[in-house]
Amino acid sequence: MSGEQSKRTGVLTEGRLDKALADAVPDLSRERIKALILEGQLTLNNRRATKPSEKIEVETSFELIIPGLRPVDTVAEDIALNIVYEDSDLLVIDKQAGLVVHPSPGHPDGTLVNALLHHCKGQLSGIGGEERPGIVHRIDALTSGLLVVAKSDAAHQGLSTQFAEHSIERLYQAIVKGVPNPAEGKISTTIGRSTTDRKKMAVLGPYDAAREMTPYLKGKHAITHYKILQAGRDCAVVQCKLETGRTHQVRVHMAHIGHPLIGDPLYGRKRKLKQMGPKESEFARQALHAATLGFIHPISGEKMRFESPIPVDMQELLSELFVITS
């Protein structure tokens, strides 16, 4: 029950601590386990362990304290949602552009979580020690499209595992400046917080497997596969398939290869107004849409796949751009 502390005990096999513990306590996500270790909630052979990457020996006994879930202070709000699928364990939402996913100091209400608390009436999974927010993954506030929400802890764990294993199918459609050459390719880099602007992410360098074993080197491996769906003279519609899911990944990667998303307030370069049509000059968000989402249902094992059409604002932008550029 929420608010009540619980305890798990057992014996770990050898290997990396957080992975071994995740195997021993399968109903908790690996990220949740890492957080509990860092909070000092784990003892190994009666000594406190605080390093998730610690290597352990065979026959190591453990005791893990799991604090009760913190009640969220987020209020339920009756906000319209486009729900494309729902059952007792999860729901898939086609999020409108402008809807923030999770409350933050700058957006304490009016978010997807506020809407979910109202729609699901408390029947949402826990994450990060909080009670029932249900969020498994996010898309940017100004990005439209599909995301999945967990209603049960079992579904949350199963979906989190698929995201961690990069087995979720995620296809985005973006309208970019210029026409990428070659017409399709793979972008493989490290992405991390920008050293010059903390609001932005940045490519920190090419991917090197050794970086992941070197704690002082920043950045995480990020892979995007792109291909042109439609090309004009100075713009293109590009499909981006995510192999990883880093913050702002599509936006950062397309800007990195010289083709930022039209309308992107962080990573785009403004064209002169005289070069724009009315729709482009008024387009107030990155032209990015999460068009396809596929996964294995974590409870039934059924293969699920959902598609969302390009929203009206991007359709109008395309109509203008391809009249101008054709």
Side-chain angles (χ1 to χ4, degrees):
M1 295 176 58
S2 63
E4 294 185 358
Q5 177 176 288
S6 61
K7 180 171 65 175
R8 307 290 176 84
T9 60
V11 177
L12 301 178
T13 57
E14 63 182 335
R16 182 177 159 127
L17 176 56
D18 55 353
K19 184 178 186 304
L21 193 57
D23 291 339
V25 190
D27 58 319
L28 294 180
S29 71
R30 191 164 169 181
E31 288 303 311
R32 178 71 172 126
I33 282 172
K34 283 183 181 179
L36 291 171
I37 295 172
L38 292 170
E39 291 168 8
Q41 303 290 353
L42 176 69
T43 56
L44 300 176
N45 293 336
N46 297 317
R47 67 170 178 86
R48 193 171 302 279
T50 57
K51 294 183 178 180
S53 61
E54 176 183 341
K55 294 294 188 289
I56 58 171
E57 304 295 334
V58 181
E59 302 298 317
T60 301
S61 63
F62 76 89
E63 179 180 280
L64 178 67
I65 302 299
I66 306 171
L69 295 176
R70 301 185 300 274
V72 294
D73 56 7
T74 306
V75 298
E77 296 182 68
D78 187 3
I79 300 170
L81 293 173
N82 182 9
I83 297 173
V84 298
Y85 176 83
E86 182 173 13
D87 62 25
S88 59
D89 292 292
L90 58 84
L91 66 162
V92 176
I93 294 169
D94 194 346
K95 186 184 82 68
Q96 62 267 38
L99 181 63
V100 176
V101 171
H102 202 278
S104 65
H107 296 91
D109 50 32
T111 71
L112 176 60
V113 167
N114 296 98
L116 289 169
L117 289 171
H118 177 270
H119 174 79
C120 297
K121 297 179 172 56
Q123 298 303 308
L124 290 167
S125 68
I127 184 174
E130 285 191 344
E131 186 180 25
R132 301 188 307 273
I135 302 301
V136 182
H137 67 124
R138 305 183 190 188
I139 57 177
D140 296 337
L142 296 180
T143 298
S144 55
L146 298 166
L147 75 164
V148 60
V149 175
K151 295 171 69 175
S152 68
D153 287 346
H156 197 133
Q157 173 63 21
L159 289 167
S160 295
T161 298
Q162 291 180 59
F163 274 100
E165 294 174 347
H166 310 309
S167 61
I168 301 283
E169 180 187 13
R170 284 174 291 171
L171 300 179
Y172 286 74
Q173 290 193 20
I175 308 173
V176 304
K177 298 177 182 179
V179 180
N181 184 18
E184 59 182 287
K186 174 182 176 180
I187 309 170
S188 178
T189 71
T190 55
I191 286 180
R193 187 69 58 183
S194 169
T195 57
T196 58
D197 185 344
R198 301 302 294 172
K199 294 180 180 180
K200 298 174 68 173
M201 306 301 287
V203 168
L204 301 182
Y207 174 64
D208 179 355
R211 293 179 67 94
E212 296 186 354
M213 305 300 294
T214 311
Y216 63 85
L217 292 176
K218 305 299 182 183
K220 294 182 177 180
H221 193 195
I223 300 175
T224 303
H225 301 266
Y226 76 88
K227 69 176 180 180
I228 294 175
L229 299 180
Q230 186 178 4
R233 284 204 302 267
D234 61 357
C235 64
V237 182
V238 176
Q239 176 182 280
C240 293
K241 180 180 180 180
L242 298 189
E243 194 170 316
T244 58
R246 309 308 179 198
T247 302
H248 298 175
Q249 180 173 318
V250 171
R251 300 164 64 189
V252 172
H253 268 171
M254 295 312 296
H256 175 65
I257 65 171
H259 300 283
L261 275 58
I262 287 177
D264 194 324
L266 275 182
Y267 306 102
R269 294 189 297 274
K270 288 289 186 181
R271 293 203 296 171
K272 295 179 180 179
L273 284 175
K274 65 181 181 181
Q275 297 175 317
M276 299 183 187
K279 293 298 180 184
E280 184 180 355
S281 64
E282 295 170 3
F283 204 76
R285 70 176 182 99
Q286 62 267 10
L288 184 63
H289 180 66
T292 302
L293 179 66
F295 55 88
I296 303 299
H297 194 293
I299 307 303
S300 71
E302 180 184 358
K303 186 175 182 179
M304 316 288 285
R305 193 175 192 271
F306 303 91
E307 294 185 352
S308 169
I310 292 291
V312 171
D313 62 342
M314 286 180 64
Q315 290 178 12
E316 293 176 345
L317 177 61
L318 282 172
S319 297
E320 176 181 275
L321 287 171
F322 281 88
V323 167
I324 292 173
T325 60
S326 60

